[in-house]
Amino acid sequence: MNASEPLPSAEAQLRAAPPHALVATARRLLAERVGAQEVTLLLADYGLTVLQPVSHLPYTGEPVPAHEGPAGSAFVQQRPVIEILHEPAGHLVHLPIAVRGDRLGVLCVRLPAGAADPGTVLQLGEFATALGHEVSTADRDTDLYLQARRTRRLTLAAEMQWQLLPARGSAREEYVIGAHLEPAYAIGGDNFDWSADADHLTLTVTDGMGKGIDAALLTSLAVGALRNARRAGLSLADQACLADQAVHAQYGGKAYASTLLLRFDLATGTVTAVDAGSPQLFRQRDGRTERIELEAQFPLGMFEESEYTEQSFRVAPGDRLIVVSTGVHETRSARGELFGEGALRQILSATRPAPPHEAARAVVSGLIEHHGSSDLMSDAAVVCLDWVGRPH
């Protein structure tokens, strides 16, 4: 990648490539420009347990751990990791791929000896980011990258829920969000959603009643109604009212969706909240973990034409907010022991130095350990938000 062949030219060629041919195009470009001997794209699976190589179907490459080894370190720490190779001598550069805070995977580039200088690694990182944007866009036209993220088949309910999600993370100068869902391949009714404009961030966590396809259909209706109201410019309370009416009109009170709605003023840190059900909210500040107690209101669709009221609180720079669904705080072990707030607080305290993505994953991992099996009885959703705020 020299001055006569700048990176924007590579971005243009990636954009022009057929969606299914992005990896082949990346290989050709990096071979021409930095003498890359091997290029592999690894994508994180739905459970965030392994990084899977992207190739033509059927897949033949072996997955690598998402939290161990050089590639796992690059993914977790979100920084390049350079591996020294022997026979033949060279370097294997592992570059994290993230799109606006959503961690997708790792690009692994094998370079000849002496080629992994700081300038080249920096440009490779920019190339990996450009490739990540194209992979995200390509999902509209091909299933190749979606299939590469799967270690096994998803249930139909899980397929619906994953397609409903915005991403698994988001980042701006004011905040960083990381989220995790389990059981990843059989999720039914849990959902998280967010949207931001110039001055506000709206975040919701929803837990649809029931299991399987019934829960997925209910949650899809609730989230769709919330988005429709949000995009109409309605207040948070009116968003809850409209979604409540939509769910009750369909189910007549026989099924409902528990939802926590939060709206952040990005300039002031004022948070408007509507607690319509059972998701719980915690805040970490100055070494303390506290639950933010909100007025519990009816879940969406439980009663006809419910009225919702807004509450408010403030976040300060350095705060961390954690939202957990019912499947987290009401899960029991094989001996009937409730996971409970105490165990949750311990995990949150232990993971405070970790980035939001890893903190959310650690909560679910602790839940699975408590339950004694990854076959959870209920869906579990965790959303972790680190608040930075705007400089005055």
Side-chain angles (χ1 to χ4, degrees), residues 267-292:
T268 66
T270 299
V271 185
T272 304
V274 173
D275 181 0
S278 57
Q280 293 183 354
L281 175 64
F282 294 84
R283 175 173 56 198
Q284 290 182 296
R285 174 185 290 176
D286 298 331
R288 300 190 309 274
T289 301
E290 60 180 343
R291 183 178 171 189
I292 297 180

Side-chain angles (χ1 to χ4, degrees), residues 299-347:
L300 305 180
M302 177 175 281
F303 298 104
E304 188 174 9
E305 297 185 355
S306 297
E307 294 292 331
Y308 294 91
T309 58
E310 298 176 358
Q311 297 176 261
S312 64
F313 62 93
R314 294 180 65 88
V315 286
D319 281 359
R320 168 170 287 182
L321 296 182
I322 306 95
V323 185
V324 297
S325 68
T326 310
V328 175
H329 61 78
E330 291 189 1
T331 289
R332 295 183 180 274
S333 68
R335 294 182 296 180
E337 297 170 341
L338 195 66
F339 183 63
E341 190 172 314
L344 179 60
R345 286 174 179 269
Q346 287 183 345
I347 295 174

Side-chain angles (χ1 to χ4, degrees), residues 84-108:
I84 299 175
L85 303 176
H86 305 282
E87 298 181 4
H91 296 89
L92 186 57
V93 185
H94 304 274
L95 304 138
I97 299 177
V99 177
R100 300 187 184 279
D102 183 22
R103 303 181 304 168
L104 300 183
V106 176
L107 182 67
C108 304

Side-chain angles (χ1 to χ4, degrees), residues 164-187:
L164 192 63
L165 295 174
R168 284 190 291 202
S170 180
R172 277 180 47 166
E173 65 173 353
E174 299 93 347
Y175 60 83
V176 179
I177 300 173
H180 196 66
L181 278 174
E182 285 287 350
Y185 291 84
I187 195 78

Side-chain angles (χ1 to χ4, degrees), residues 20 53-60 142-148 150:
H20 68 275
V54 177
S55 61
H56 293 294
L57 293 173
Y59 296 113
T60 56
T142 178
D143 289 336
L144 178 66
Y145 306 103
L146 292 172
Q147 289 172 295
R150 305 175 183 202

Side-chain angles (χ1 to χ4, degrees), residues 150-156 158-159 185-186:
R150 305 175 183 202
T151 59
R152 59 186 183 276
R153 183 175 177 176
L154 271 69
T155 64
L156 177 56
E159 187 81 53
Y185 291 84

